[in-house]
C-alpha cells in the first residue's frame, strides 16, 4: 500500500459487523476466566492484554499504523514526544554510558540530554553535524551506545545527513536514532536510509490539529544487538524472570524491551482517547503534508524576496544550505520556515504582534498558521552558546504555515510587514 492508503487502513481492519472506525477501548484492564490464564499472560505479556499501561487496543492500532508508515517491525506510543526521546535513549544507556547527539535538535531534547540525563549518569557527547567524519569518529568512546539526530531540526530547519551518520554509528557498532517529527514518514522514511530507531513527537504534524500530546518510538528491527555492547538486550533481564529479548523477540527485541521494562516502570502511556484522536490526525497525514509543503514553499519564496528579511531558512529554497540534502532525503520540506528579521528581536516581536490571522502560540505543525519566537519562548532556558549551537538568532521567527488558503496566509503576512515598516 502507498502512504495515503496506509494512513487510512493500516493498524485496524474490522471484521464482519465490527465498527468501521477504531473503537476507543476506555478500559484500564482486561478480564480472564481463570487465575491460571492471568498468570500465563504475565509469562508472555506481549501475547495478550493485561493492563493498559502495557497495551490497549486503541493505542495498538495507532502503533501498528505508524510502524507500517515508517517501515518498522513495531512501535510504542508514549504520552509525549519528550517521553519518546527519553525512553529511546534509556532503552540502551545505563548510568556510566554515553551517547552522541548533533547540536541541532529540539530545545526540549537539548535540556533532557544536557541536564536530566546527566543527573542519571548518562553523558551526551555533542557533535556539530557539519564536522568531518574523522572528527565525529573521535567523539565515540567505548561506552557510547547510540547516535541521535533530527531529520529536519526544530527550529534550525537544517537537514540531517542520515546515511552519513548511520554509517558512522554502524562503524562503531551502535544504532542511529532519528527524531522524524517535522518530516513525518510521508516526507522521509529514515529507516530506508539506515536509521535503526525512529521517534516522533506525535503532538506535531501527526496529530496536526493541536488536540493532544503524544510520542512514539519505532523499531526498524534492522540493528544487530550482538556486538557485546548491549547486554540489556542480549543477556537475561532479572526484572522479567530472565527473559533474553533478542532470543525471545528477535527483530522486535528493542521495542519489546522498551515496553516491558520502561513503560512498565515509567508508565508514560497515552490514553485510549488520545490515541483515537491521533488516529484521526494520521488518517489525513498524507494529504495534509503535501499541502503544508505547497503552502510553505510559496511563503518561503515571498519572504526570500522581502527586503525586511535578513535571512530565511527553508530547505526547499535552492540556495538554502539544506537544499541538496533535502532533495536526497525529503519528499517536501514541511510547513515550517524560519527567518531572521532585520532589526533583531524587537522587530521580530513587533511583526509577530501585528499578525491578525496567524496565532502566536507555543506550537508548531498545527493545521492553522502559527508563529513563535524561539529565543524568548521555547528556547529561553538555553544559554547564548547553546542558542548559537542550536542555530537560533535573536531575530529569528519560526513560522509554521498552516492549511488556510494561501491568499489569506500571504495577505496576513504582508499586512504585518506593512505595519512595522
Ligand atoms: C515538540 C518536539 C518534541 C517534544 O515533543 P512533546 O510532544 O512536546 O513532548 C521532540 N522533538 C521535536 C522535534 C519536537 O518538535
Amino acid at each position: 500500500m502507498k502512504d495515503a492508503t496506509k494512513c487510512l487502513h493500516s493498524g485496524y481492519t474490522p471484521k464482519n459487523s465490527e465498527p468501521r472506525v477504531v473503537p476507543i477501548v476506555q478500559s484500564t484492564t482486561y478480564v480472564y476466566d481463570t487465575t491460571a490464564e492471568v498468570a500465563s499472560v504475565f509469562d508472555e505479556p506481549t501475547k495478550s492484554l493485561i493492563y493498559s499501561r502495557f497495551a490497549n487496543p486503541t493505542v495498538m492500532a495507532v502503533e501498528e499504523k505508524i510502524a507500517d508508515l515508517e517501515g518498522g517491525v513495531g512501535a510504542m506510543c508514549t504520552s509525549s514526544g519528550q517521553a519518546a526521546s527519553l525512553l529511546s535513549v534509556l532503552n540502551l544507556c545505563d548510568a556510566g554510558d554515553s551517547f552522541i547527539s548533533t547540536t541541532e535538535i529540539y530545545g526540549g531534547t537539548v535540556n533532557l540530554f544536557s541536564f536530566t540525563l546527566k543527573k542519571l549518569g548518562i553523558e551526551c557527547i555533542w557533535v556539530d553535524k557539519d564536522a568531518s567524519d574523522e572528527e565525529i569518529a573521535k567523539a565515540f568512546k567505548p561506552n557510547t551506545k547510540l547516535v541521535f539526530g533530527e531529520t529536519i531540526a526544530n527550529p534550525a530547519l537544517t537537514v540531517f545527513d542520515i546515511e552519513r551518520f548511520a554509517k558512522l554509528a554502524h562503524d562503531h557498532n551502535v544504532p542511529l536514532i532519528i527524531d522524524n517529527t517535522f518530516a513525518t514518514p510521508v516526507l522521509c522514511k529514515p529507516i530506508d536510509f539506515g536509521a535503526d530507531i525512529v521517534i516522533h513527537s506525535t503532538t506535531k504534524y501527526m496529530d496536526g490539529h493541536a488536540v493532544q500530546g503524544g510520542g512514539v518510538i519505532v523499531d526498524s528491527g534492522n540493528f544487530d544487538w550482538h556486538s557485546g555492547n548491549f547486554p540489556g538486550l542480549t543477556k537475561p533481564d532479572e526484572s522479567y524472570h530472565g527473559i533474553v529479548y533478542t532470543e525471545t523477540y528477535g527483530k522486535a527485541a528493542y521495542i519489546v524491551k522498551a515496553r516491558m521494562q520502561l513503560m512498565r516502570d515509567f508508565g508514560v502511556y497515552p490514553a485510549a482517547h488520545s490515541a483515537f484522536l491521533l488516529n484521526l490526525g494520521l488518517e489525513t497525514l498524507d494529504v495534509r503534508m503535501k499541502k503544508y509543503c505547497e503552502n510553505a514553499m510559496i511563503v518561503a519564496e515571498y519572504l526570500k524576496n522581502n527586503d525586511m528579511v535578513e535571512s530565511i531558512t527553508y530547505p526547499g529554497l535552492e540556495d538554502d544550505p539544506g537544499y541538496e540534502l533535502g532533495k536526497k532525503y525529503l519528499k517536501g520540506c514541511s510547513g515550517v520556515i524560519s527567518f531572521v528579521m532585520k532589526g533583531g528581536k524587537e522587530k521580530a516581536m513587533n511583526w509577530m504582534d501585528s499578525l491578525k490571522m496567524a496565532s502566536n502560540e507555543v506550537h508548531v505543525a498545527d493545521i492553522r498558521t502559527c508563529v513563535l519566537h524561539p529565543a524568548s519562548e521555547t528556547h529561553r532556558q538555553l544559554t547564548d552558546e547553546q542558542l548559537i549551537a542550536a542555530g537560533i538568532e535573536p531575530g529569528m521567527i519560526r513560522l509554521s504555515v498552516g492549511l488556510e488558503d494561501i491568499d489569506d496566509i500571504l495577505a496576513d503576512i504582508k499586512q504585518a510587514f506593512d505595519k512595522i515598516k
Side-chain angles (χ1 to χ4, degrees):
M1 286 194 288
K2 296 277 178 28
D3 284 349
T5 317
K6 286 183 182 176
C7 283
L8 292 163
H9 292 280
S10 289
Y12 177 69
T13 311
K15 297 189 197 77
N16 192 37
S17 87
E18 284 182 352
R20 174 55 274 186
V21 175
V22 176
I24 304 175
V25 180
Q26 195 67 54
S27 180
T28 52
T29 192
Y30 308 88
V31 177
Y32 290 87
D33 288 339
T34 65
T35 320
E37 273 177 280
V38 178
S40 75
V41 175
F42 268 97
D43 279 340
E44 283 205 84
T46 54
K47 293 289 185 309
S48 294
L49 295 162
I50 316 178
Y51 187 60
S52 286
R53 171 148 44 82
F54 290 96
N56 166 284
T58 315
V59 178
M60 284 160 71
V62 175
E63 289 170 340
E64 213 177 303
K65 180 175 284 186
I66 297 174
D68 201 20
L69 280 163
E70 286 287 9
V73 293
M76 180 176 84
C77 282
T78 57
S79 52
S80 68
Q82 285 300 102
S85 311
L86 171 68
L87 299 194
S88 73
V89 173
L90 285 187
N91 206 30
L92 298 176
C93 292
D94 295 336
D97 286 337
S98 70
F99 67 101
I100 289 175
S101 174
T102 54
T103 52
E104 284 176 13
I105 56 170
Y106 173 65
T109 318
V110 173
N111 278 330
L112 169 67
F113 289 180
S114 306
F115 300 105
T116 303
L117 285 183
K118 191 172 167 191
K119 285 183 202 159
L120 301 180
I122 298 167
E123 180 199 9
C124 178
I125 302 164
W126 297 101
V127 297
D128 181 343
K129 70 165 184 22
D130 296 322
S132 67
D133 284 1
E134 294 71 38
E135 271 175 88
I136 294 165
K138 271 188 220 145
F140 285 86
K141 295 183 186 176
N143 68 359
T144 298
K145 295 296 164 76
L146 64 99
V147 176
F148 189 97
E150 255 173 57
T151 317
I152 304 177
N154 174 10
L157 302 185
T158 47
V159 182
F160 189 68
D161 194 345
I162 302 172
E163 269 181 4
R164 179 162 92 96
F165 278 85
K167 181 167 189 312
L168 281 159
H170 297 160
D171 285 349
H172 293 85
N173 289 319
V174 301
L176 175 65
I177 301 185
I178 291 289
D179 182 337
N180 196 32
T181 298
F182 271 18
T184 81
V186 171
L187 302 182
C188 177
K189 295 190 199 305
I191 292 171
D192 289 350
F193 298 104
D196 303 287
I197 310 294
V198 177
I199 66 164
H200 288 271
S201 164
T202 61
T203 317
K204 312 295 166 54
Y205 283 121
M206 283 190 169
D207 161 62
H209 298 72
V211 291
Q212 40 85 35
V216 70
I217 305 175
V218 183
D219 184 354
S220 71
N222 293 336
F223 193 78
D224 181 359
W225 304 104
H226 292 93
S227 63
N229 248 346
F230 301 100
L233 283 142
T234 57
K235 294 261 157 32
D237 175 2
E238 280 170 46
S239 78
Y240 237 116
H241 42 69
I243 215 163
V244 176
Y245 292 103
T246 45
E247 267 175 28
T248 311
Y249 295 102
K251 278 183 166 298
Y254 173 93
I255 203 70
V256 173
K257 174 177 178 288
R259 190 182 298 281
M260 285 166 66
Q261 285 179 342
L262 301 178
M263 191 56 86
R264 177 195 64 190
D265 294 354
F266 288 92
V268 284
Y269 66 107
H273 188 248
S274 298
F276 175 81
L277 293 172
L278 173 56
N279 186 55
L280 285 186
L282 287 168
E283 289 185 334
T284 57
L285 186 68
D286 190 80
V287 204
R288 285 189 294 112
M289 289 316 292
K290 288 170 182 160
K291 189 67 183 169
Y292 284 120
C293 296
E294 200 181 300
N295 279 356
M297 196 63 220
I298 297 170
V299 174
E301 293 284 2
Y302 168 78
L303 291 171
K304 197 186 128 195
N305 296 313
N306 187 312
D307 57 16
M308 294 171 83
V309 172
E310 189 171 295
S311 63
I312 170 165
T313 307
Y314 187 67
L317 295 171
E318 270 183 43
D319 49 1
D320 189 274
Y323 182 73
E324 289 302 324
L325 287 176
K327 261 203 325 203
K328 173 171 179 182
Y329 291 115
L330 307 170
K331 285 195 192 142
C333 296
S334 90
V336 191
I337 295 171
S338 79
F339 66 100
V340 179
M341 193 69 88
K342 278 185 190 156
K345 184 171 170 176
E346 207 183 305
K347 264 283 198 252
M349 290 168 94
N350 284 344
W351 182 83
M352 287 172 59
D353 292 343
S354 305
L355 292 165
K356 285 183 175 157
M357 181 184 73
S359 42
N360 203 326
E361 65 188 38
V362 180
H363 197 34
V364 64
D366 190 0
I367 202 159
R368 292 149 288 250
T369 298
C370 59
V371 286
L372 181 145
H373 185 234
S376 69
E377 297 170 3
T378 42
H379 291 66
R380 66 183 295 119
Q381 279 112 10
L382 301 197
T383 62
D384 286 354
E385 254 176 19
Q386 285 175 321
L387 280 176
I388 293 163
I392 296 157
E393 292 186 47
M396 185 201 265
I397 292 170
R398 191 182 66 189
L399 170 62
S400 176
V401 179
L403 299 187
E404 298 93 346
D405 191 283
I406 187 64
D407 292 344
D408 295 321
I409 297 172
L410 284 175
D412 192 29
I413 290 174
K414 286 177 188 167
Q415 65 81 29
F417 276 112
D418 287 343
K419 254 191 211 148
I420 63 158
K421 262 203 178 120

